[in-house]
Amino acid sequence: DRRRRKAAGRRLAAFVAEVLADGLRSRTADGAGGLIFDGVRARDLEVLTAALGCTAAQSCVVLRLECPRETMLERLRARGDRRGDERLGLRDTTDDEGRVEACAQRAAEDEEALRSLLGDSVFHTAVRTVDAARTTEDVLAAAEAALRAAAGAAAVAYRPTAEGAAAAAPERGGAAAPGRLLVDWPVRVLATARRLDADLHPDGRPRVA
């Protein structure tokens, strides 16, 4: 039922956060200073920073891409049919206009949630807006500049504890080659699952010693 799906979704989000946190810790000694990923909402940041042992206000830089609805709709239509959209059932639930409208509604909700999570002062420092109506190259350059400026202004630096780094040490392969801070994610997923399985049942309940 719906309640079980919500509970399962929360457990999955928590597991993904643990995997990402372990992956970051596993490469911090090689010079990794953070993770860049998209499609994250305020509640996901809260779960991830909890797994990292810090707060969102201490560790997050958010790039918010803004684009006019007309441009979003034009680009969406130009993409044509995509296999991924079909697998997710997006074509079965709404049309292109509905997807753009849903995105606009989520943007307003996410801004309010981010302000609540970060606080007003940190929000103005950590959240940077990028004009996504420009070309791909211009957006990439603007995103990189905004990320560097926000990180510098906030003096963002994550340093895991010795215990955390040891718990998430690479399963194989040793240190990464210079300039290639890679994470073997399939191995990391299995390692994190084994670590959590020692303490939790599959439904999330703690194991009793």
Side-chain angles (χ1 to χ4, degrees), residues 84-108:
D85 292 349
E86 295 176 1
R87 286 200 302 266
L88 292 172
L90 297 177
R91 295 292 183 187
D92 300 333
T93 57
T94 186
D95 54 15
D96 292 340
E97 290 82 357
R99 293 178 66 181
V100 170
E101 182 62 30
C103 179
Q105 292 178 0
R106 286 196 305 270

Side-chain angles (χ1 to χ4, degrees), residues 168-183:
E171 294 294 307
R172 67 183 184 192
R180 297 186 63 197
L181 300 181
L182 304 178
V183 175

